[in-house]
Each structure stands twice: as structure tokens, then as C-alpha cells.
Amino acid sequence: MFPQNIVLIGFMGTGKSSIGKRAARILGFRFVDTDHLITERAGMEILRSLHLHGEAHFRDLETETLRALENTSHQVVATGGGIVLREENRRQLRSLGFTVALTAREDVLFERVSRNTKRPLLQTADPQGTIHKMVQERAALYAETAQFLVDTSDLGQQALAELIAHEALSRFPSITST
Ligand code: S3P
């Protein structure tokens, strides 16, 4: 069976949502974002959910949200940066569709995430050090889950979206058919 969706994984600040929306527009796909689905499911913002119920609970919601996407098609699915931490999630991500990992150099990530303060896991005394540590922990998980890796450090969002759409179509020409 050919992949039904395009799934974007990668660290916070790699541009999964903005690039994903553009790729969805190019392909005529729906765009979904697991963080938004979790916010709806939890009835509150992630920051508040993490604060009230802790990270383990948030990770459970993430797994439930992924399970609920089973058997969907024609979507670009952007995911939260930590979704690859669970083995079950990595399996689900691969079965959902063509998995693309967005990467970026750490200085670029830091510059991008510093522009908004909504990332609870980076609210530490040394966000740059935290990014470094988390990237070290996760890089292999992104690489093992993805079929295609794209460095977003130096290219614009539209060019990146076109690259991803083009790659999906050339590997799986029937991905857009019903
Ligand atoms: C997280 C990334 C966030 C969000 C949550 C945890 C992580 O998503 O899911 O704050 O563990 O890296 P983005 O990658 O969209 O910022």
C-alpha cells in the first residue's frame, strides 16, 4: 500500500507547521497538527496541560491523538517535537504515511524558538544548553523514523514545501489519488 499522508517530524523550531501548511496547499491536502488536536482533546493549551498534569500525561495524549489518525489520508500531519520519544508513536508515524524529518542547525533553532516563549520545555535558565541536550537525545530517533531528511536552516518555507511535495510525488506518484 502506498503512503496516504505526509508526516512531518522534527525538533521545535524546524518549521513543521508553517512548511506543512504550504505543502498541504500545494498538494490539495488537509493540514493537521497534533499539538492542535491535543489542545482540543485536553480542552486547554499545552503549556497549561503540562503545568497541571505533567509531561507523561501530555505524552499519553500525543499517543491517543496519533492513534486517532489511523486510516486517514490526503493530509499533511505536523507533529510535536517529542512525538518520536515513544516506540509506539514511531511505528504509528511510519504507518501513517511518507515520513519527513525537518532538521536545522542548533544556532538556527535557538534563534527561531527565542522569538516565541510558548515552548514550555525550553523555559529553563539555559535554553541553548537545553536545545543542545534535547537535540542530542532525539536526533537518532528522527533519523530512524524518517524516510526523508530536510535541513531547513538555509532555505525559505515555500521552497522547502515545494521540495517535500515534489519528493512525495516522485516517490509515490499516486499519493494524491483517491
Ligand atoms: C515538544 C514540542 C512542542 C509541543 C510540546 C513538547 C517537545 O511542539 O508538542 O511543547 O517535546 O519537543 P513543537 O515541536 O511544534 O514546538
Side-chain angles (χ1 to χ4, degrees):
M1 203 173 68
F2 66 85
Q4 308 281 314
N5 301 291
I6 295 179
V7 182
L8 301 181
I9 60 173
F11 201 76
M12 294 172 262
T14 49
K16 292 161 296 195
S17 299
S18 15
I19 296 166
K21 281 181 193 152
R22 289 172 187 268
R25 213 170 302 133
I26 293 168
L27 292 163
F29 279 19
R30 206 162 86 91
F31 172 78
V32 297
D33 183 325
T34 56
D35 280 344
H36 285 167
L37 297 175
I38 291 170
T39 303
E40 283 170 11
R41 198 172 271 264
M44 67 181 86
E45 290 296 321
I46 291 174
L47 186 66
R48 189 164 157 71
S49 162
L50 277 168
H51 188 67
L52 281 179
H53 305 296
E55 187 175 341
H57 176 71
F58 173 73
R59 297 296 171 206
D60 287 340
L61 291 176
E62 204 161 46
T63 299
E64 281 172 28
T65 302
L66 259 193
R67 283 189 197 141
L69 287 173
E70 253 174 48
N71 302 318
T72 58
S73 65
H74 301 96
Q75 302 181 114
V76 175
V77 182
T79 58
I83 205 152
V84 294
L85 292 170
R86 286 193 179 171
E87 220 277 315
E88 173 186 344
N89 294 356
R90 300 199 289 279
R91 222 175 327 110
Q92 285 276 11
L93 290 164
R94 283 189 292 257
S95 73
L96 268 183
F98 176 46
T99 43
V100 179
L102 304 184
T103 66
R105 292 190 308 272
E106 280 177 33
D107 60 307
V108 174
L109 291 176
F110 179 64
E111 208 273 311
R112 290 182 189 161
V113 299
S114 306
R115 282 188 228 136
N116 93 45
T117 50
K118 277 196 164 170
R119 298 224 163 71
L121 300 182
L122 298 179
Q123 317 274 315
T124 64
D126 171 22
Q128 212 159 356
T130 306
I131 289 174
H132 177 70
K133 187 169 163 282
M134 289 172 80
V135 167
Q136 296 287 309
E137 285 164 4
R138 295 178 179 181
L141 300 176
Y142 296 130
E144 112 178 25
T145 310
Q147 293 164 279
F148 184 49
L149 272 87
V150 181
D151 186 341
T152 66
S153 306
D154 301 312
L155 273 180
Q157 291 178 347
Q158 187 63 21
L160 288 160
E162 282 166 16
L163 175 73
I164 292 164
H166 179 267
E167 190 67 23
L169 285 170
S170 64
R171 290 191 195 205
F172 310 104
S174 50
I175 194 166
T176 50
S177 55
T178 47

